[in-house]
Amino acid sequence: MCFSSTASFTAAVALVPLGLLAVRQAQRSGQQGRLPLALTPWLFALQQASEGVVWLGLDDPGGNGTTAPLTRAAALLFLFFACALWPAWMPWLALRFGNTLLAPWRRRLIRLLALLGLAFGLGLWLPLPLDSDRLQIVVVDGSIHYATTFLGSGVINHTLGSGLYALLVGLPLLLVPSGRLRLFGLLMLLAFTLAQLAYLHAFTSVWCYFAAVLSALTVWVVSEPPRPPLRSLLRPPPRTAGPPPP
């Protein structure tokens, strides 16, 4: 499989109309809580476009490669999505999508994951724009490898960090009582695992590309018929009046 600026820009362009379709579908459903999920293809489109710019910088024989300001800015934008946004966005969209469907313990757990994802993501990304030595960009076997030095890199190994990341982006989607959203979350975790096993040398780039492609499914997910709120499911049925007294 080959990745390039063409692949990144093609994914970005294709996701724009799909995002529009998802937003319209969410609006027609009357479920405002589905809008964050419907907006996700547009976010992935912006991320893929930013990596397309990185590819252009790396492929320019007359440019400065990874030292070009535009290339580094595009790489930092791409990594903002990968490191900072997705670990917080996925729990938040699950919380909004679930809305009245979530049991209290599920809601509390997803809120905790959202806060953890926000702290975890910002801790990963914020040092990168502040210290240029923490980010190096190279092409390895046809894919971009973002060589990053995160805070705690010497304390938290790759396996533990990857496991926490997968937990933050995948588990919240599985906690929502929606068959389509759960399938979407499961496919995200499968794509994450595939990127880990087959493309570890360029995991961040490949995982985000797989996830961007999967975000096309949001059109299908947001069109799922709404389920009744949890409160109505727990409410006892109304008692029927008995026969009038003689």
Side-chain angles (χ1 to χ4, degrees), residues 36-69:
L37 178 63
L39 292 170
T40 301
W42 283 346
L43 297 176
F44 272 114
L46 181 56
Q47 184 185 28
Q48 288 303 306
S50 67
E51 186 161 62
V53 175
V54 175
W55 272 114
L56 292 179
L58 295 175
D59 292 340
D60 183 8
N64 296 319
T66 62
T67 62

Side-chain angles (χ1 to χ4, degrees), residues 43-103:
L43 297 176
F44 272 114
L46 181 56
Q47 184 185 28
Q48 288 303 306
S50 67
E51 186 161 62
V53 175
V54 175
W55 272 114
L56 292 179
L58 295 175
D59 292 340
D60 183 8
N64 296 319
T66 62
T67 62
L70 182 59
T71 304
R72 292 193 66 85
L76 287 171
L77 178 59
F78 175 85
L79 290 172
F80 170 78
F81 284 97
C83 298
L85 183 65
W86 300 134
W89 181 263
M90 293 302 177
W92 183 68
L93 76 81
L95 195 63
R96 297 284 290 125
F97 192 101
N99 201 8
T100 57
L101 301 176
L102 293 169

Side-chain angles (χ1 to χ4, degrees), residues 121-147:
L122 290 177
L124 288 180
W125 183 78
L126 276 178
L128 301 181
L130 299 178
D131 185 355
S132 60
D133 293 334
R134 289 183 176 270
L135 171 62
Q136 303 297 324
I137 314 162
V138 294
V139 177
V140 180
D141 294 336
S143 299
I144 296 179
H145 170 56
Y146 298 93

Side-chain angles (χ1 to χ4, degrees), residues 169-195:
V169 301
L171 180 59
L173 305 180
L174 301 179
L175 288 172
V176 178
S178 161
R180 296 186 185 184
L181 187 64
R182 285 175 173 173
L183 178 59
F184 177 65
L186 180 60
L187 291 174
M188 283 284 194
L189 289 176
L190 289 176
F192 184 94
T193 304
L194 177 60

